[in-house]
Structures are given as C-alpha cells and as structure tokens.
Amino acid sequence: MTTDERISVSPAEERATGVGPHGIDLAYQRFGDPAAPPLLLIMGLAAQMVNWPDALCHQLAARGLHVIRFDNRDAGRSTHFTDAPAPDLPAALAGDLSSASYTLGDMAADAVGLLDALGIASAHLFGVSMGGEIAQTIAIEHPRRVRSLTLMMATTGDRRVGQPDPAVLPLLFGGPPATTREDVIAQALRASRVVGSPGFARDEAEIAARAGRAFDRNFDPVGIARQAVAQVASGDRTARLATLDVPTLVIHGLADRMRDASGGRATAAAVPGAELWLVEGLGHDLPRELWPELVRRLAAHIERAEASRVR
C-alpha cells in the first residue's frame, strides 16, 4: 500500500449541526463498533482530525474501541469564526486578552456537544498538545462526561512550564507566511525536522501527503491564530486539575522542543493519581514506531477505567 493509500483509508466524513451552546457545526469521523467504549480524539493547535493517522485510528478500533475524531472549531470543515475580531497573539502573550474570541472552555463545550449529538453519555478522552488541554477542561467543567483521560504533549496553562525552546520559534514561524499548497507542505516538513522525534524514524512522504490533505480540506491561518489566543486566554488550570477524580495517563516526549517535558511532569503532578509515561527520543508528533506501545498502554488504561466503572 502506498503512502497516499495508507492515509486515505478513512470512513465517511459526517457533520453534526447546531452543536453545543454556540450551535456550531463539527465535522467528524467514526471508526469501529458504535456499541464499544467510546474514545474521543482531540487534536491540537493548527491541526485537523486527519492529523490523527487513519492507521492509528484503525488500530485503536481493533482494540475494541469506538473511535471518534473531529475538527475543532476554526479547523478543517468545522465552523470557522470568520466574523470574529482579528486575533492578536503578541498582545495576548503580553496580557491583553481583548482579541480572544473564545476560550478552551468553549472548545470543551463543543466536544461535549458532539457527544450529545452522537448520544454518548460519557467517553474516554485522548488529547494531544492543545487537544490535551481541551480534554483537561472537559474533565474540569464536565466531569460526568469523562471516563478516563490520556493527555499527550500537553501542559497545565502555567507559563512557567511546558514552554517551547526559544530557538525553534524563528525556525517554525520566520520568513514569509505559507499561502500555497506547496508552501504549507514545505512548512510541515520543516516543522517535522525541527520539533519532530529525533529518536524515531520520520516518514516525510507521509507527512507531506497529510499536510496536503489538510490544505485541501481547509486552510485558515487566521483561525489558527484565534485558537492560539484562546489557549493563552484560558490561563492556568493547575489548581482545578487537582480536583479531578478520573483515571489519567500523561504522555510526554523528553525530546519535545515545542512543549518542554516540564509541562507533562506538571500535569501528572497536578492530577491526583495520574500515571506519567516519559518517552526518550519523542518530540512533538506521533511517530509510527511509537504506535504499538502507545496503543497497548492506552488500551490497558481504558480497560482499567472500564473495569472500575462496573464495580
């Protein structure tokens, strides 16, 4: 099977309308048996649901899970807030949050609204990067909807931890902005070399194909900036994480230059009883070589959580 075939083996894309308190539309896909325990995959900043590799979703479904992935607001084929005020990320980082159109709380409510639309009372959550922080927020604000948490490449919102290596920012965001499909693919390849996993093989053909697929679905750099401002505006969750009572697995790469591993350590320290898995050579991505162990650990984590629910 070619790389293009590997990433395009995908179920039909569906759309939920009038979702959550803001009545938005969310694009989503489902893998596996709808009667199986549900696993909601939540993607991070500047990423679409197709950034969850299809083959990984199929592997999770093969472990007896009903896997659901979706586009966050301002990503992919979900609602984009094009009439919102212009986002000003530098001002937000300096403390002026007036350009924030929404917060991670709103994005958490979107995800809960998708569960409502699918008739799912509660789900296991697996979030990466900002998606892990949305998952944290769901657990904080909608605790009855969460069976377990898996938080990867995430941090607590405390800006003293989980920060990027300053050396990578000019490499990622310097130069003219990407505007064409070719530009976006080149940017994705450059990012993978800068913040990807040095301890794992990198499939540049697959990275390029997935970046092209995402561009073809939607390209909205201003929407990405709105998400980034929302992330900053949501503040520090450390104290609220300490109130959680949910099985939690925290995963972080020791080679993550985009989110320093201090973010994962702080998250695990904040959530009572959380398990911490630190991975040598793992950066800010989902390398294929990691999948077997990731799937094994995630499935075992979910199995334990399911068993505890029926006691």
Side-chain angles (χ1 to χ4, degrees):
M1 182 177 290
T2 68
T3 294
D4 286 337
E5 289 170 335
R6 226 174 28 236
I7 71 161
S8 63
V9 177
S10 185
E13 188 172 306
E14 302 179 74
R15 178 176 296 272
T17 60
V19 169
H22 298 96
I24 69 170
D25 295 348
L26 291 181
Y28 68 94
Q29 291 175 309
R30 296 188 282 182
F31 301 73
D33 181 358
L39 172 63
L40 186 67
L41 305 180
I42 310 176
M43 191 33 79
L45 177 70
Q48 303 179 22
M49 65 179 174
V50 295
N51 289 94
W52 291 104
D54 288 347
L56 176 60
C57 294
H58 283 296
Q59 288 182 27
L60 290 167
R63 296 298 295 257
L65 297 169
H66 174 205
V67 178
I68 305 148
R69 67 181 184 183
F70 70 102
D71 289 326
N72 286 310
R73 59 168 67 193
D74 271 327
R77 292 175 175 159
S78 291
T79 294
H80 289 247
F81 287 70
T82 54
D83 295 331
D88 189 338
L89 182 57
L93 290 169
D96 177 2
L97 303 177
S98 60
S99 71
S101 302
Y102 49 84
T103 67
L104 296 185
D106 297 307
M107 300 180 82
D110 296 342
V112 171
L114 178 59
L115 295 180
D116 290 338
L118 297 177
I120 297 173
S122 62
H124 302 279
L125 307 183
F126 180 14
V128 298
S129 197
M130 183 186 73
E133 292 149 30
I134 295 170
Q136 293 172 18
T137 307
I138 297 171
I140 290 166
E141 298 183 0
H142 310 272
R144 294 183 180 179
R145 310 305 297 269
V146 182
R147 300 188 190 186
S148 75
L149 283 175
T150 300
L151 309 170
M152 185 172 182
M153 317 175 205
T155 188
T156 61
D158 180 348
R159 288 172 62 187
R160 296 173 297 180
V161 297
Q163 295 302 298
D165 177 347
V168 311
L169 299 179
L171 298 173
L172 293 178
F173 305 113
T179 56
T180 68
R181 191 178 195 272
E182 292 72 22
D183 290 343
V184 168
I185 290 172
Q187 185 179 60
L189 289 170
R190 184 168 62 251
S192 75
R193 295 167 192 145
V194 174
V195 300
S197 297
F200 295 85
R202 182 171 58 248
D203 186 339
E204 293 206 343
E206 186 166 352
I207 292 164
R210 189 171 293 114
R213 183 181 180 187
F215 181 91
D216 294 341
R217 295 181 78 246
N218 181 272
F219 177 61
D220 183 4
V222 180
I224 294 169
R226 284 191 291 270
Q227 290 184 345
V229 171
Q231 195 171 14
V232 175
S234 298
D236 184 359
R237 293 172 297 281
T238 303
R240 292 182 295 163
L241 289 171
T243 69
L244 295 184
D245 181 16
V246 60
T248 301
L249 171 63
V250 176
I251 306 167
H252 217 107
L254 291 171
D256 191 337
R257 301 180 69 197
M258 195 65 198
R259 282 284 172 79
D260 184 79
S262 59
R265 290 189 176 100
T267 301
V271 179
E275 176 187 355
L276 176 61
W277 176 28
L278 295 172
V279 186
E280 291 282 354
L282 178 65
H284 204 73
D285 58 1
L286 288 165
R288 183 178 291 269
E289 285 182 284
L290 182 69
W291 296 357
E293 183 64 9
L294 174 63
V295 170
R296 186 191 71 77
R297 287 184 183 242
L298 178 58
H301 173 59
I302 290 173
E303 287 168 8
R304 289 192 296 269
E306 285 290 302
S308 68
R309 294 180 69 241
V310 298
R311 286 177 187 164

